[in-house]
Amino acid sequence: MKQISNEFSGTFICLDKSNVDTDQIIPKQFLKSIKKTGFGDNLFDGWRYLDEGTIDQETSSRAVNKDFIFNNKLFTNSNILVSGENFGCGSSREHAVWALKDFGIKTVVAESFADIFYNNCFKNGLLALILKKSEISKIFENFNENSAQSIEIDLINQVLYYGDSEFKFELDDYKKKCLLEGLDEIGASLKFTDQIKSFEKNYQLKNPWLFK
Amino acid sequence: MSSRTLYDKLWDAHHVAKREDGSSLIYIDRHLIHEVTSPQAFDGLRERKIEPWRVDSIIATPDHNVPTENRAKGSKGISDSISKLQVITLEENVKKYDLNFFSLGDERQGIVHVIGPEQGLTLPGMTVVCGDSHTSTHGAFGALAMGIGTSEVEHVLATQCLIAYKQKNMRINIEGDLLERVSAKDVTMFIIGQIGTAGGTGFNIEYAGSTIENLSMEGRMTLCNMSIEAGARSGMVAPDQTTFDYIKGKPFAPSGDQFDKALDMWISLKSDPDAVFDKEFSFSSEQILPQVTWGTSPEMVSSIDEKVPEPRDFKNKENYEDALNYMGLKPGTKLTDISLDQIFIGSCTNSRIEDLRIAAEILKGNKLAKNIKRALVVPGSGLVKKQAEEEGLHEIFIDAGFSWRDAGCSMCLGMNPDQLNQEERCASTSNRNFEGRQGYKGRTHLVSPAMAAAAAIEGRFIDVREI
């Protein structure tokens, strides 16, 4: 039975590029923050504005790049981003995920993801969803900048619905459970405390030079 | 037991427990911490009211966001108040949890990926993590070293473990002597050009073959450093006598009986002869000429004797056009016709003593070309700087017209004041040529230290073998 996850579904934006790196998602000047929030206005800063952004600046007065899809009013409430191959490559900065989340993106659909970015998504409640090249191409081809369209995601059954198409996607059960139930990873790992301690004791005996 | 790769062995030796989802808890031996990706992780610990699991596994230093000049006042002297807060936040966390720390005034301060090996904090057989993607550098010692996100930094602080899925095994074999003045940087850039920036995604890369065995530790670090630019979170070289000689006598390395005991274990750290790799590539050293990137991804790279490719010769047309527009280049331009505005010698890829020696040798008795507006040398650590000064290298750089700076990440990512101005073109020994990386609308060409030095003299790219 179709069970749409409203949280991960909605209107989408396309960024028809490969190798979108984390320096583009959130440029370095914004990494000076010591918080996890407040990055949304600077998501894709270099592409979104016509000037160089600074961290302590009001974004409302800045000149925007009207040609960039994130500035199109039809799409400012989008919660899905669709892009090409190797999305999120480069720096390990989790600020990239925090910026997408702050902007309102809940699902990133791509042909493939860089490993560190992929992990960072799930740790912040974002769904990183991999489709085949042909499926991504179909979404890109039908994307129209003059009207917002929707994608529905059935997380439980792992199906993405777009128009008349149904695309199955892979996702491991634990990541799915984390998204659905908001599991606390550190809390879950701390349940292994006895095992970690016993491993550590044995490991130290074998490798004493690694301990002070 | 069946045959295993070096990666399999390191994985098995650190495997604590299997989790319900099929991922594993992997024990972490060394945790490197810097100011940019750690504040939110320490906040997380406090929210949970827990302490770091094993303080002696941690070493912290500020590097990403620090100025590279006027450092007499330490963190208090940082003029950018937001940068200053971030560095001071690290100092406060270090103090609160009593962590090993190299402060801004300490000669041991530097780029985390330079100071770890330099201090003997990185050893064969270790697992090493840091909230920085270039942690792959430490794989040069036969360590399993991975970049992690801030949530993972918090997880490692809290549990001494990382949640990880086992990666597939890739081996890249390179045989033969490198051509004159071709270095490890050219090797890694060549590999990325061949396999692409996603070629290593999901893999650990083991580098092997006589070319790799003949590299110094500095060269192996350069090579492993850019594994992430090929998509691989970790890359490694099996430890050998070169490795053991480098480690011996380092401040945090084992000494006396402990060294001998460690050595017995380290010698066993290599892939079994019949170990099976999921993917394997082989190249000959003679294929590798000095490399230069011309686009905005490290895979947009060519040999110095080539031209900026025509659109038909590049697979991703959309990215290609955007890249050339951004870089202000036309298809068919000879790489040797590209003139430059700035030169940057530094970063966790190429700021070690060997890199500075190579660049200085080429620069000796020469001056910057007139069109070069600024040239920076940023040593990877205070100790690299000191060593270079003892060898008189700083005088060669200064005489040539370079600015001789203090240690930090500097213009590799331009978080500090060292940045390119709009549309300035830079020959850089760093690792990423992404849009805006070195400065808003700045244009980065990645090269080796030798090629950067040659470009500094000529004011344009030139095959360093012609100097």
Side-chain angles (χ1 to χ4, degrees):
Chain A
M1 199 181 74
K2 192 170 166 180
Q3 299 179 66
I4 298 304
S5 319
N6 289 325
E7 196 188 348
F8 299 99
S9 305
T11 55
F12 67 92
I13 301 189
C14 281
L15 207 51
D16 184 2
K17 285 171 90 73
S18 57
N19 296 322
V20 173
D21 60 74
T22 53
D23 273 84
Q24 304 320 314
I25 301 174
I26 186 79
K28 73 288 185 103
Q29 61 267 40
F30 306 106
L31 311 188
K32 294 179 184 181
S33 166
I34 56 172
K35 298 196 169 64
K36 283 188 183 183
T37 53
F39 299 101
D41 284 347
N42 303 110
L43 176 69
F44 295 117
D45 200 275
W47 291 338
R48 214 159 132 202
Y49 302 96
L50 296 172
D51 60 349
E52 180 182 8
T54 57
I55 186 169
D56 45 3
Q57 179 185 25
E58 267 297 317
T59 47
S60 54
S61 58
R62 295 175 64 189
V64 300
N65 173 9
K66 288 188 180 122
D67 295 334
F68 187 56
I69 189 75
F70 277 75
N71 289 321
N72 183 327
K73 286 198 169 58
L74 286 171
F75 297 94
T76 46
N77 290 321
S78 296
N79 47 2
I80 299 176
L81 171 61
V82 183
S83 192
E85 195 189 356
N86 202 25
F87 188 87
C89 61
S91 154
S92 66
R93 58 186 73 165
E94 202 159 314
H95 311 67
V97 174
W98 299 334
L100 287 162
K101 188 179 175 178
D102 239 17
F103 181 85
I105 299 293
K106 286 296 296 185
T107 302
V108 185
V109 180
E111 195 185 324
S112 62
F113 290 95
D115 283 334
I116 304 176
F117 178 86
Y118 185 76
N119 273 321
N120 286 345
C121 278
F122 291 94
K123 291 176 195 302
N124 290 279
L126 257 72
L127 169 61
L129 192 158
I130 300 168
L131 290 185
K132 295 189 190 79
K133 190 181 181 68
S134 58
E135 296 166 344
I136 295 273
S137 299
K138 185 165 184 184
I139 299 176
F140 284 162
E141 279 161 21
N142 292 307
F143 182 67
N144 178 348
E145 293 192 2
N146 301 315
S147 71
Q149 306 170 62
S150 291
I151 280 175
E152 287 186 317
I153 289 165
D154 178 345
L155 189 55
I156 293 164
N157 296 304
Q158 295 171 216
V159 186
L160 181 149
Y161 294 93
Y162 167 63
D164 298 333
S165 306
E166 295 180 18
F167 302 138
K168 287 282 286 177
F169 60 89
E170 300 286 326
L171 185 63
D172 78 56
D173 288 345
Y174 183 78
K175 285 198 165 66
K176 184 154 83 180
K177 202 169 155 188
C178 282
L179 290 179
L180 290 168
E181 299 171 17
L183 284 186
D184 165 22
E185 262 194 341
I186 292 177
S189 291
L190 283 170
K191 289 187 182 140
F192 288 90
T193 294
D194 290 346
Q195 266 170 280
I196 301 170
K197 281 188 173 158
S198 133
F199 174 93
E200 192 170 52
K201 200 172 157 190
N202 192 26
Y203 184 78
Q204 185 171 2
L205 284 174
K206 283 194 217 160
N207 307 277
W209 61 88
L210 296 180
F211 293 75
K212 197 167 76 176
Chain B
M1 196 176 276
S2 61
S3 298
R4 295 182 298 164
T5 65
L6 171 57
Y7 171 70
D8 294 338
K9 291 179 185 182
L10 295 179
W11 176 271
D12 291 346
H14 293 86
H15 194 272
V16 176
K18 195 101 177 163
R19 290 156 44 94
E20 54 174 301
D21 58 328
S23 68
S24 296
L25 284 177
I26 295 298
Y27 188 79
I28 299 303
D29 296 314
R30 181 67 65 216
H31 191 178
L32 305 159
I33 281 178
H34 64 84
E35 75 278 21
V36 175
T37 56
S38 67
Q40 300 87 348
F42 283 113
D43 282 348
L45 282 194
R46 284 188 281 275
E47 281 166 29
R48 288 173 188 278
K49 300 191 168 54
I50 54 176
E51 303 278 312
W53 181 286
R54 211 188 112 202
V55 168
D56 74 320
S57 70
I58 302 170
I59 177 78
T61 198
D63 61 359
H64 279 63
N65 199 356
V66 299
T68 55
E69 52 189 348
N70 305 322
R71 295 233 294 233
K73 289 183 193 157
S75 58
K76 290 187 186 67
I78 300 176
S79 57
D80 175 339
S81 62
I82 302 170
S83 295
K84 184 175 172 177
L85 176 64
Q86 200 169 45
V87 174
I88 286 175
T89 302
L90 178 68
E91 291 175 348
E92 287 169 359
N93 283 320
V94 160
K95 201 171 166 195
K96 180 173 169 58
Y97 299 111
D98 195 22
L99 307 179
N100 293 311
F101 184 55
F102 300 150
S103 71
L104 208 49
D106 192 317
E107 66 178 10
R108 297 170 299 174
Q109 177 270 341
I111 305 172
V112 282
H113 309 311
V114 174
I115 66 165
E118 182 175 81
Q119 290 295 320
L121 290 157
T122 305
L123 298 171
M126 268 186 166
T127 44
V128 181
V129 294
C130 175
D132 186 275
S133 61
H134 289 109
T135 310
S136 57
T137 310
H138 307 263
F141 289 78
L144 173 54
M146 292 160 287
I148 57 178
T150 296
S151 296
E152 291 173 314
V153 170
E154 186 183 340
H155 191 280
V156 174
L157 285 171
T159 66
Q160 206 58 36
C161 292
L162 181 70
I163 299 174
Y165 287 88
K166 188 151 183 214
Q167 305 283 293
K168 287 178 282 184
N169 281 290
M170 178 187 289
R171 182 160 60 188
I172 298 179
N173 303 287
I174 308 177
E175 294 291 344
D177 293 334
L178 288 173
L179 300 176
E180 192 192 353
R181 287 185 166 165
V182 169
S183 68
K185 181 62 166 291
D186 301 301
V187 175
T188 183
M189 290 170 66
F190 171 83
I191 291 170
I192 295 161
Q194 295 291 313
I195 74 173
T197 48
T201 304
F203 289 90
N204 170 78
I205 301 176
E206 181 177 343
Y207 300 96
S210 61
T211 311
I212 310 301
E213 287 160 20
N214 289 334
L215 289 176
S216 64
M217 287 315 296
E218 284 86 352
R220 294 179 194 184
M221 285 187 249
T222 300
L223 180 70
C224 290
N225 172 277
M226 286 187 68
S227 301
I228 186 67
E229 264 59 67
R233 210 169 170 182
S234 57
M236 56 182 65
V237 176
D240 58 12
Q241 198 56 46
T242 305
T243 322
F244 310 140
D245 291 344
Y246 179 97
I247 293 167
K248 197 159 195 174
K250 294 278 187 283
F252 287 81
S255 57
D257 290 354
Q258 289 284 306
F259 185 87
D260 296 339
K261 204 175 169 191
L263 192 57
D264 282 345
M265 192 279 257
W266 295 344
I267 287 168
S268 70
L269 295 173
K270 51 185 150 198
S271 292
D272 294 329
D274 49 351
V276 178
F277 288 82
D278 302 288
K279 209 165 190 176
E280 203 147 4
F281 293 95
S282 290
F283 303 108
S284 160
S285 61
E286 289 164 10
Q287 294 172 264
I288 308 171
L289 298 180
Q291 304 284 301
V292 181
T293 63
W294 44 263
T296 55
S297 164
E299 70 186 14
M300 295 172 168
V301 62
S302 297
S303 299
I304 183 64
D305 60 351
E306 294 180 303
K307 296 172 180 170
V308 174
E310 300 289 338
R312 63 171 182 275
D313 298 329
F314 205 74
K315 59 171 183 161
N316 189 327
K317 199 162 176 295
E318 173 108 7
N319 275 21
Y320 167 90
E321 283 171 2
D322 288 350
L324 286 201
N325 277 337
Y326 181 85
M327 292 298 289
L329 290 173
K330 290 194 171 65
T333 306
K334 281 184 183 170
L335 293 180
T336 49
D337 284 342
I338 297 175
S339 69
L340 296 151
D341 304 299
Q342 291 215 37
I343 309 290
F344 173 62
I345 297 177
S347 87
C348 58
T349 313
N350 281 130
S351 64
R352 297 177 182 84
I353 190 69
E354 182 181 280
D355 301 315
L356 303 192
R357 285 179 190 143
I358 290 170
E361 188 201 323
I362 290 161
L363 286 167
K364 194 166 189 175
N366 288 299
K367 298 274 181 212
L368 290 180
K370 288 208 167 62
N371 55 308
I372 302 296
K373 297 171 192 160
R374 184 167 74 158
L376 298 183
V377 190
V378 184
S381 72
L383 289 172
V384 168
K385 183 175 187 184
K386 191 174 159 188
Q387 171 76 27
E389 287 178 350
E390 280 166 14
E391 295 179 19
L393 304 183
H394 65 307
E395 285 166 0
I396 297 173
F397 286 117
I398 293 166
D399 289 348
F402 275 77
S403 177
W404 177 246
R405 297 297 183 88
D406 287 317
C409 299
S410 180
M411 206 160 69
C412 173
L413 83 166
M415 269 191 85
N416 75 348
D418 307 338
Q419 295 184 20
L420 297 180
N421 293 315
Q422 290 194 32
E423 299 189 358
E424 276 186 346
R425 197 179 288 287
C426 180
S428 176
T429 67
S430 57
N431 41 58
R432 287 184 179 137
N433 49 349
F434 296 158
E435 287 184 28
R437 171 97 177 167
Q438 294 196 293
Y440 182 66
K441 295 195 174 170
R443 294 163 173 170
T444 303
H445 295 270
L446 303 176
V447 286
S448 71
M451 284 289 285
I457 299 167
E458 292 294 318
R460 62 180 176 89
F461 288 116
I462 179 173
D463 189 333
V464 62
R465 296 169 301 168
E466 291 170 15
I467 291 263

